[in-house]
Amino acid sequence: LCAITTKDGLFWLGTFDGNLYNINLTDNTFPYNNIRASVNSFCEENDSVLYIATTEKGLLKLNRKTGIYEKFANKYSNQNSLLNHDINILRKDAYGNLWFGTNSGFYKLDAGKNLLTRYAHDSSATNTRAINHIPPDSVYCVHADKKNVWVGFGDEGLGKLDLGTGKVTHYLYDAKDRNSISGNSVYCIDEDSLVNVWVGTYNGLDKLNERNNSIKHYLTGYNINNICIDNSGIIWAGTNDGLYQY
């Protein structure tokens, strides 16, 4: 189950059974259609284009004015096409590029050019970024800021891709190092106004301060499913044991 409120005030709701609701909150109408795929995430490009991440059908681009869907799917002759149709998360960076994570790596879509780039652990394909320290693992979450793209992996910790240099920094749990992240399964990432990066893992909540390269731990032992930072700067953490704030 996922949701987004678009700039025109419409509330979009996607369900695991493939129902896509377009809810007008002013007149309480609930039109919907079934896209026959679980909906995992949304991202609004502009007032006429909505991207939809699905399981089994890959990435869908909905033209809201025409109602026509464009599908980004696996094209076996093109190694830069989607290699996995299970899209877990969508996020847009400050430059309008769309970043998304799949069960076999993550991608960037240059929306203006409709150019898809796959970021891989090791590949010789044209326009594929063969970067050391990016594991061939499921990507559960992505957060993009002006300088970096942060990637949360299913079992391989946290990755940071520097957009300027292409350098990747890999953060892993180390039981002997209190300055390591709390766990290698990373479910959510967000960033506060002081540019601290908050990371939710299966074993706790971490605050990563890049200025002094420190990591502070909260809610140790809790499974952190979601993080939201509100306009007042309050950190909200959703866990299997309830909602917490800092």
Side-chain angles (χ1 to χ4, degrees):
L1 188 69
C2 61
I4 186 175
T5 301
T6 48
K7 294 176 183 178
D8 56 5
L10 294 178
F11 183 70
W12 294 78
L13 179 68
T15 68
F16 291 123
D17 58 3
N19 287 332
L20 181 62
Y21 294 87
N22 177 6
I23 303 171
N24 189 326
L25 298 177
T26 59
D27 60 13
N28 290 325
T29 56
F30 292 80
Y32 77 96
N33 65 342
N34 191 295
I35 60 174
R36 302 182 184 278
S38 176
V39 179
N40 301 323
S41 186
F42 293 106
C43 189
E44 183 179 19
E45 182 181 34
N46 51 47
D47 60 359
S48 62
V49 174
L50 183 68
Y51 287 98
I52 305 166
T54 76
T55 299
E56 296 182 353
K57 284 196 173 181
L59 179 65
L60 302 179
K61 180 180 180 181
L62 171 62
N63 185 319
R64 294 171 53 196
K65 293 182 178 179
T66 65
I68 296 174
Y69 291 87
E70 179 183 352
K71 182 178 179 181
F72 292 82
N74 192 341
K75 299 177 182 178
Y76 296 99
S77 61
N78 183 354
Q79 294 191 56
N80 294 312
S81 69
L82 287 178
L83 299 186
N84 190 294
H85 288 172
D86 297 336
I87 312 295
N88 299 318
I89 189 71
L90 296 174
R91 287 294 182 267
K92 187 166 66 171
D93 67 20
Y95 309 102
N97 299 309
L98 187 68
W99 295 84
F100 55 96
T102 76
N103 286 341
S104 57
F106 71 108
Y107 295 76
K108 180 182 77 172
L109 177 66
D110 185 323
K113 299 178 182 178
N114 246 20
L115 179 64
L116 188 65
T117 302
R118 181 168 63 94
Y119 286 75
H121 176 66
D122 184 21
S123 176
S124 59
T126 303
N127 203 32
T128 297
R129 308 294 189 242
I131 303 174
N132 294 329
H133 310 302
I134 290 184
D137 192 18
S138 295
V139 174
Y140 286 168
C141 55
V142 174
H143 173 76
D145 58 33
K146 291 183 178 180
K147 298 192 301 180
N148 305 301
V149 175
W150 299 84
V151 183
F153 295 102
D155 294 300
E156 295 289 345
L158 176 71
K160 181 185 74 171
L161 170 64
D162 186 308
L163 294 174
T165 65
K167 178 183 177 182
V168 173
T169 304
H170 198 189
Y171 300 84
L172 287 169
Y173 168 70
D174 183 347
K176 298 179 181 178
D177 183 4
R178 281 289 301 166
N179 203 44
S180 69
I181 61 174
S182 294
N184 286 334
S185 292
V186 176
Y187 298 139
C188 47
I189 307 169
D190 207 344
E191 191 171 334
D192 64 25
S193 60
L194 299 177
V195 202
N196 297 307
V197 177
W198 293 79
V199 180
T201 78
Y202 76 94
N203 192 42
L205 176 67
D206 299 329
K207 181 175 75 171
L208 196 157
N209 185 331
E210 283 197 281
R211 297 181 297 278
N212 58 20
N213 200 32
S214 66
I215 297 178
K216 189 172 182 179
H217 305 289
Y218 303 83
L219 296 173
T220 299
Y222 285 78
N223 190 329
I224 311 299
N225 301 313
N226 212 341
I227 303 169
C228 179
I229 303 176
D230 66 23
N231 293 334
S232 302
I234 296 174
I235 314 298
W236 297 87
T239 77
N240 288 351
D241 192 45
L243 181 66
Y244 294 81
Q245 72 174 67
Y246 289 97

